[in-house]
């Protein structure tokens, strides 16, 4: 079984993930632009039991555009978010895919807020989810 390791910029906080993610997506929402400092976020979900977290983290909780509560865990030393939970998706741990620092990581197959929030110059081949605009 493949094992992948996500970690923060300074390496203090990590998440080791066994097997393949259950979902790989990008999100163009405004909160994801702020969280990442980028045009969109690129995230994966693993079953909680397949993820081993090591290191110290601080939490920040925000309310998503659809009303869910999202709690981000980030390194107190360097600020990188390494894992997060969404209360409407129990049993799953989300990991920002960039923290694997792996150019061969599988591509996204869902695109959230594809029509309403995507920067015009961003070309994504993943399936737009119309429910999320
Ligand atoms: Zn760090
Ligand atoms: Zn988002």
């Amino acid at each position: 079984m493949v094992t992948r390791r996500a970690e923060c910029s300074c390496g203090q906080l990590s998440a080791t993930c066994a097997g393949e993610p259950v979902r790989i997506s990008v999100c163009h929402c405004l909160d994801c632009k702020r969280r990442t400092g980028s045009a969109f976020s690129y995230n994966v979900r693993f079953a909680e039991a397949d993820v081993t977290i090591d290191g110290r983290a601080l939490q920040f909780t925000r309310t998503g555009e659809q009303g869910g509560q999202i709690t981000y865990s980030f390194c107190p030393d360097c600020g990188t978010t390494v894992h997060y939970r969404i209360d409407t998706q129990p049993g799953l741990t989300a990991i920002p895919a960039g923290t694997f620092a792996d150019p061969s990581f599988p591509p996204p197959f869902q695109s959230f807020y594809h029509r309403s929030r995507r920067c015009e110059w961003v070309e994504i081949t993943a399936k737009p989810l119309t429910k999320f605009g």
Side-chain angles (χ1 to χ4, degrees):
M1 185 189 289
V2 63
T3 297
R4 297 184 178 94
R5 184 181 155 91
E7 64 178 42
C8 65
S9 294
C10 76
Q12 184 276 129
L13 178 61
S14 67
T16 304
C17 306
E20 294 300 330
V22 297
R23 190 175 98 183
I24 310 175
S25 58
V26 293
C27 182
H28 306 275
C29 84
L30 302 184
D31 287 309
C32 281
K33 293 185 199 307
R34 282 221 168 85
R35 174 174 65 79
T36 61
S38 188
F40 58 92
S41 66
Y42 171 30
N43 309 295
V44 300
R45 306 278 192 281
F46 283 92
E48 192 179 284
D50 292 338
V51 179
T52 304
I53 310 281
D54 285 301
R56 290 169 290 112
L58 292 176
Q59 271 81 39
F60 171 71
T61 299
R62 72 167 177 86
T63 301
E65 292 196 18
Q66 304 283 319
Q69 293 288 113
I70 308 162
T71 301
Y72 297 97
S73 292
F74 59 94
C75 173
D77 298 335
C78 73
T80 307
T81 296
V82 172
H83 59 100
Y84 62 95
R85 286 170 186 283
I86 303 175
D87 66 354
T88 55
Q89 298 173 3
L92 295 181
T93 298
I95 313 272
T99 58
F100 292 103
D102 177 4
S104 69
F105 200 90
F109 49 84
Q110 291 174 324
S111 183
F112 289 83
Y113 300 99
H114 188 88
R115 278 181 309 186
S116 62
R117 303 284 195 253
R118 181 173 47 89
C119 297
E120 280 182 18
W121 51 268
V122 171
E123 295 179 19
I124 297 276
T125 55
K127 182 178 178 227
L129 286 182
T130 49
K131 178 186 166 194
F132 290 90

